[in-house]
């Protein structure tokens, strides 16, 4: 899949499975003699990450390789996206802290719950679902249940989490074993497991590297 060009990848797998950089490369097209589409896309992505929705025509126009016609096209697409295509209930999750905010409801649970956050290629939240309830044991948490949800949602990535009703954020051996099992299964299936969070009344703990 990684060998496909962005346009081919979009056609075959859908826009949700492309990275931000790949989507920008499609917008930019072929680049020019001085700068490749890859170089321009990387500069534009860096600007997007620093400015977010406040990005302006002038800022984009200052990127080497971005002419007035292409800049206008990109700005128009971003504005349409803000108006119609970016619902507030689908936040982008790029850190453990942002993921934990989606899991506050677990703090009040009196029973252990195992949750999957499914994400598209841009780390935008698709769904937040409890897939298992009961004492967490590595023999009970099957990758097929976790990844069945990811496949159903056509997710490119997932974040998994569970709560500790006891209030402790210390991971057990089973917690660590489950993390390793899911990461290995994710590599085989081509669905990245970004993190595994433990949630308790006092906060959260990340078992991954997000």
């Amino acid at each position: 899949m990684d060998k496909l060009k962005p346009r081919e990848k979009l056609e075959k797998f859908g826009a949700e499975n492309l990275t931000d950089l790949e989507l920008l490369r499609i917008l930019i097209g072929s680049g020019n003699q001085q700068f490749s589409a890859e170089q321009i896309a990387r500069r534009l992505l860096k600007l997007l990450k620093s400015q977010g929705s406040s990005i302006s025509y002038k800022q984009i126009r200052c990127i080497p390789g971005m002419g007035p016609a292409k800049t206008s096209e990109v700005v128009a697409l971003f504005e349409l996206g803000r108006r119609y295509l970016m619902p507030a209930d689908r936040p982008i999750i790029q850190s453990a802290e942002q993921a934990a905010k989606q899991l506050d409801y677990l703090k009040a649970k009196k029973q252990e719950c195992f949750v999957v956050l499914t994400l598209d290629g841009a780390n935008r939240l698709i769904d937040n679902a409890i897939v298992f309830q009961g004492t967490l044991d590595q023999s009970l948490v099957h990758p097929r249940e976790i990844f069945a949800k990811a496949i159903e949602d056509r997710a490119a990535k997932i974040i998994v989490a569970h709560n500790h009703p006891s209030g402790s954020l210390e991971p057990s051996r089973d917690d660590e074993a489950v993390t390793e099992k899911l990461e290995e299964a994710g590599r085989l299936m081509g669905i990245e497991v970004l993190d595994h969070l433990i949630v308790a009344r006092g906060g959260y703990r990340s078992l991954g590297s997000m």
Side-chain angles (χ1 to χ4, degrees):
M1 186 168 74
D2 291 336
K3 295 180 181 179
L4 295 175
K5 293 181 179 179
R7 290 179 186 274
E8 296 170 337
K9 189 174 175 181
L10 185 149
E11 182 178 358
K12 189 170 183 179
F13 299 104
E16 66 273 15
N17 286 302
L18 273 69
T19 64
D20 293 353
L21 187 62
E22 289 170 330
L23 291 169
L24 288 173
R25 282 181 59 189
I26 291 174
L27 282 180
I28 290 164
S30 59
N32 55 43
Q33 293 181 346
Q34 287 77 35
F35 302 96
S36 68
E38 177 83 8
Q39 291 172 318
I40 299 170
R42 288 188 180 280
R43 290 187 174 96
L44 181 53
L45 181 58
K46 183 178 180 180
L47 182 61
L48 276 171
K49 287 182 175 180
S50 65
Q51 298 296 320
S53 61
S54 64
I55 192 170
S56 68
Y57 175 95
K58 185 176 181 180
Q59 289 172 318
I60 297 175
R61 183 68 179 86
C62 287
I63 294 174
M66 287 295 290
K70 182 57 65 175
T71 298
S72 296
E73 183 179 341
V74 169
V75 170
L77 284 170
F78 287 171
E79 182 58 27
L80 284 170
R82 277 193 291 268
R83 294 181 186 183
Y84 300 105
L85 305 176
M86 305 283 277
D89 60 345
R90 290 195 59 202
I92 291 175
I93 299 177
Q94 295 180 316
S95 68
E97 182 180 5
Q98 290 173 332
K101 289 180 180 179
Q102 301 297 319
L103 301 164
D104 276 344
Y105 67 94
L106 286 178
K107 294 178 180 180
K109 297 287 186 182
K110 296 181 180 180
Q111 189 177 26
E112 284 196 18
C113 301
F114 198 88
V115 173
V116 178
L117 303 181
T118 51
L119 311 172
D120 64 19
N123 283 34
R124 188 171 296 281
L125 182 66
I126 299 172
D127 199 5
N128 179 343
I130 295 175
V131 295
F132 176 83
Q133 293 191 62
T135 301
L136 185 64
D137 185 303
Q138 63 166 316
S139 65
L140 297 177
V141 179
H142 296 292
R144 65 174 176 267
E145 297 170 352
I146 309 305
F147 288 99
K149 175 60 178 171
I151 292 169
E152 177 187 345
D153 290 351
R154 301 181 69 180
K157 309 169 188 179
I158 62 171
I159 296 170
V160 297
H162 74 281
N163 62 315
H164 279 183
S166 67
S168 171
L169 289 173
E170 192 66 27
S172 66
R173 290 183 179 178
D174 278 331
D175 294 341
E176 294 171 347
V178 166
T179 304
E180 292 177 5
K181 182 192 295 186
L182 293 177
E183 287 177 344
E184 181 179 356
R187 284 191 289 270
L188 291 173
M189 299 186 68
I191 299 174
E192 187 178 1
V193 180
L194 294 178
D195 209 338
H196 181 183
L197 302 183
I198 297 173
V199 178
R201 290 187 298 274
Y204 71 92
R205 179 165 179 171
S206 169
L207 302 184
S209 57
M210 193 175 188

